[in-house]
Amino acid sequence: MADNTPKTLRNQIMYQIFVRNYSEEGTFAQVEKDLDRIKALGADIVWFMPIHPIGKEKRKGSLGSPYAISDYRAVNPEFGTLDDFKQLVDAIHERNMKCIIDVVYNHTSPDSVLSKEHPEWFYHKPDGSFGNRVGDWTDIIDLDYSNRELWDYQIETLVQWAEIVDGFRCDVAPLVPIAFWEQARDAVAAVRPDAIWLSESVEPDFITYMRAQGIAAHADAEMYRAFDLTYDYDCYGAFKDYFYGTGTLQAYADAINRQESIYPDNYVKLRFLENHDQTRARFFLPDIAMLKSWTAFMFFQKGMPLLYAGQEKAVSHTPTLFDKDMIHWNGFENADLTDFIQRLSRMKRHEIFTDSTYHVQAIGEDVLVATHEKDGKKAVGVFPIKGQTAFVPVDLPDGIYANLLNGRAVEVFRGGVQCYREPVVLIHNS
């Protein structure tokens, strides 16, 4: 297992960028101009979705998906040059942030460098043609990791990039052998000992579906052998069920609570409300009070919060991956959450969020109460997730506390606290 994963990753914030859609120009240079703003949000790690050239064969849309890569060792010329990217990474480092890039090792574009030079490294259908094992991914072909020469090439590529960047977000990592990732982690450590490894772990239903097809798919607990962080898709299904009215809020809380017992002590989950594969949070949470409460809960959770570029402006439009579809930075429906997110980022630095026993409870169907406890210290978060005023029971002594989110005085009286449409985070030292 990745037993050297630092628990301090739980105090950090990740910011996700798709260069094409981040600005009108869609270049590394334009992102560099915005780094001070990103840093001011509280970001510690900037994750770039794939920066490599995109294949042309069977391309989706006019520009193609960044996840249909044609050359792992090159940079997409639409974004700039390799030197431009290095300059961007240097600028990120100058601001004491880290940079990770997307690694898409399950598949390539049909016209990739590897498909031409090493067709034997790919999965082939019974008729001998290239193919993929997930039906709707029609613009890619799968790699075959039974070829050890492929391992050598891919690991060599990672080591090359590790001389520039600080780590990797690994796309559908559970479909690539865990032994490969373990070997890759060891090799990268020689040039980047503190590299950050994020696995795009997948939903349980996807794992069981792939296994039913005779395809190896690793569960989150396995991924922690090689990775520092995994997605929280293991509870995302319960989250969606609650919003669709097919599941309860307590079922979602129970799914979160299970993580405390089934993963290593130093597990780190990437907590998100949205990402490039999911609907924007503002779209299904149009009420700002609700959006702020769920955002606060995301930051309060045990793990690392993810901000998908535009989330800080409450953007509701989910950009497509296949065409130019710039973030609606000035959309009429936008709401500036910058100050709120900055306060949440400061809250996240508190030592109680580094190492604790974590528990979540649903109060009815409209309030979440979460608790971090360690060595007599307790953080209690109360989240009225429907943006309502509510009296909520809390396990704290009566008294006057300061809400960590805004500094306002909050009274706990007779074992309860009043929330006035806003989340409340209280710290108690016994």
Side-chain angles (χ1 to χ4, degrees):
M1 59 172 284
D3 55 4
N4 60 342
T5 297
K7 293 181 179 180
T8 50
L9 286 173
R10 296 170 179 162
N11 298 101
Q12 299 185 20
I13 293 94
M14 185 176 292
Y15 190 86
Q16 177 187 0
I17 293 175
F18 182 24
V19 175
R20 176 197 292 166
N21 289 337
Y22 192 79
S23 65
E24 188 64 42
E25 297 80 0
T27 62
F28 296 133
Q30 288 303 120
V31 174
E32 184 177 346
K33 293 178 181 179
D34 206 28
L35 288 180
D36 287 335
R37 187 191 67 83
I38 295 170
K39 173 68 175 179
L41 281 172
D44 301 283
I45 302 166
V46 180
W47 154 29
F48 288 104
M49 291 166 60
I51 61 169
H52 308 297
I54 296 169
K56 296 180 180 179
E57 186 177 335
K58 296 186 178 180
R59 174 179 283 188
K60 290 184 177 180
S62 61
L63 297 175
S65 167
Y67 292 93
I69 292 170
S70 64
D71 188 351
Y72 291 123
R73 298 186 176 183
V75 164
N76 188 337
E78 299 171 24
F79 301 165
T81 66
L82 179 58
D83 285 340
D84 292 334
F85 180 67
K86 289 180 178 178
Q87 179 176 315
L88 173 57
V89 176
D90 287 343
I92 289 170
H93 290 162
E94 288 168 5
R95 290 160 176 81
N96 295 316
M97 295 187 290
K98 293 188 175 183
C99 171
I100 67 172
I101 59 172
D102 237 307
V103 171
V104 188
Y105 270 12
N106 177 68
H107 50 260
T108 74
S109 68
D111 54 352
S112 67
V113 169
L114 291 188
S115 70
K116 296 171 183 175
E117 296 181 356
H118 293 283
E120 72 278 11
W121 290 356
F122 286 80
Y123 162 77
H124 294 272
K125 294 187 289 188
D127 64 3
S129 62
F130 291 127
N132 72 79
R133 297 166 294 175
V134 180
D136 62 343
W137 297 353
T138 56
D139 57 343
I140 56 91
I141 55 176
D142 284 358
L143 289 159
D144 179 1
Y145 280 83
S146 66
N147 296 281
R148 300 300 292 206
E149 295 87 356
L150 173 61
W151 289 40
D152 296 338
Y153 180 92
Q154 299 290 62
I155 290 172
E156 183 180 272
T157 303
L158 287 170
V159 170
Q160 290 176 7
W161 283 110
E163 294 175 351
I164 302 170
V165 301
D166 303 290
F168 307 99
R169 178 268 186 188
C170 301
D171 187 67
V172 286
L175 300 189
V176 175
I178 189 66
F180 166 82
W181 294 121
E182 291 176 308
Q183 185 173 323
R185 185 183 180 107
D186 288 342
V188 166
V191 297
R192 186 74 65 173
D194 58 349
I196 299 163
W197 290 85
L198 165 61
S199 165
E200 187 208 14
S201 48
V202 294
E203 294 178 286
D205 287 349
F206 185 76
I207 293 174
T208 55
Y209 168 78
M210 296 303 285
R211 289 177 176 177
Q213 312 307 309
I215 301 167
H218 299 298
D220 288 20
E222 296 174 280
M223 301 311 292
Y224 280 117
R225 286 163 46 187
F227 287 86
D228 302 304
L229 299 102
T230 66
Y231 277 45
D232 62 351
Y233 276 134
D234 51 329
C235 58
Y236 192 69
F239 172 78
K240 291 191 295 185
D241 287 345
Y242 168 70
F243 275 98
Y244 294 158
T246 57
T248 67
L249 191 61
Q250 187 58 50
Y252 173 53
D254 290 342
I256 296 171
N257 291 333
R258 276 194 294 274
Q259 296 173 339
E260 281 288 275
S261 61
I262 63 176
Y263 299 136
D265 177 63
N266 62 337
Y267 82 97
V268 186
K269 278 287 175 182
L270 186 73
R271 305 294 185 178
F272 62 87
L273 287 180
E274 59 184 65
N275 59 54
H276 67 275
D277 285 322
Q278 304 300 335
T279 305
R280 288 280 194 183
R282 180 67 192 283
F283 187 82
F284 62 84
L285 293 168
D287 181 84
I288 292 299
M290 293 176 64
L291 180 63
K292 290 175 73 173
S293 198
W294 276 106
T295 301
F297 178 64
M298 177 184 73
F299 272 79
F300 187 89
Q301 285 227 70
K302 191 174 192 175
M304 181 186 295
L306 172 68
L307 293 172
Y308 181 31
Q311 189 171 347
E312 66 271 36
K313 299 293 186 181
V315 172
S316 64
H317 172 67
T318 303
T320 177
L321 296 183
F322 312 125
D323 302 285
K324 179 68 176 178
D325 191 7
M326 184 179 159
I327 296 169
H328 296 176
W329 291 107
N330 297 307
F332 75 91
E333 82 284 7
N334 290 15
D336 192 352
L337 301 181
T338 297
D339 180 68
F340 184 63
I341 288 173
Q342 288 172 335
R343 283 184 274 133
L344 291 171
S345 297
R346 290 192 291 270
M347 175 201 76
K348 195 66 175 175
R349 312 300 181 197
H350 196 287
E351 62 182 357
I352 191 67
F353 297 105
T354 310
D355 187 13
S356 67
T357 299
Y358 182 56
H359 185 265
V360 182
Q361 178 185 3
I363 307 296
E365 292 299 314
D366 49 16
V367 177
L368 287 168
V369 177
T371 305
H372 291 268
E373 292 189 76
K374 181 74 172 183
D375 298 332
K377 184 173 291 185
K378 179 185 292 187
V380 176
V382 181
F383 306 94
I385 55 175
K386 294 183 179 177
Q388 79 283 19
T389 296
F391 178 78
V392 182
V394 293
D395 185 19
L396 288 172
D398 286 1
I400 304 296
Y401 298 78
N403 186 351
L404 212 59
L405 299 185
N406 53 29
R408 295 174 187 165
V410 174
E411 183 176 13
V412 176
F413 182 64
R414 294 181 178 175
V417 65
Q418 189 69 252
C419 294
Y420 297 94
R421 304 196 72 218
E422 292 184 339
V424 171
V425 175
L426 309 176
I427 301 288
H428 174 68
N429 297 306
S430 59

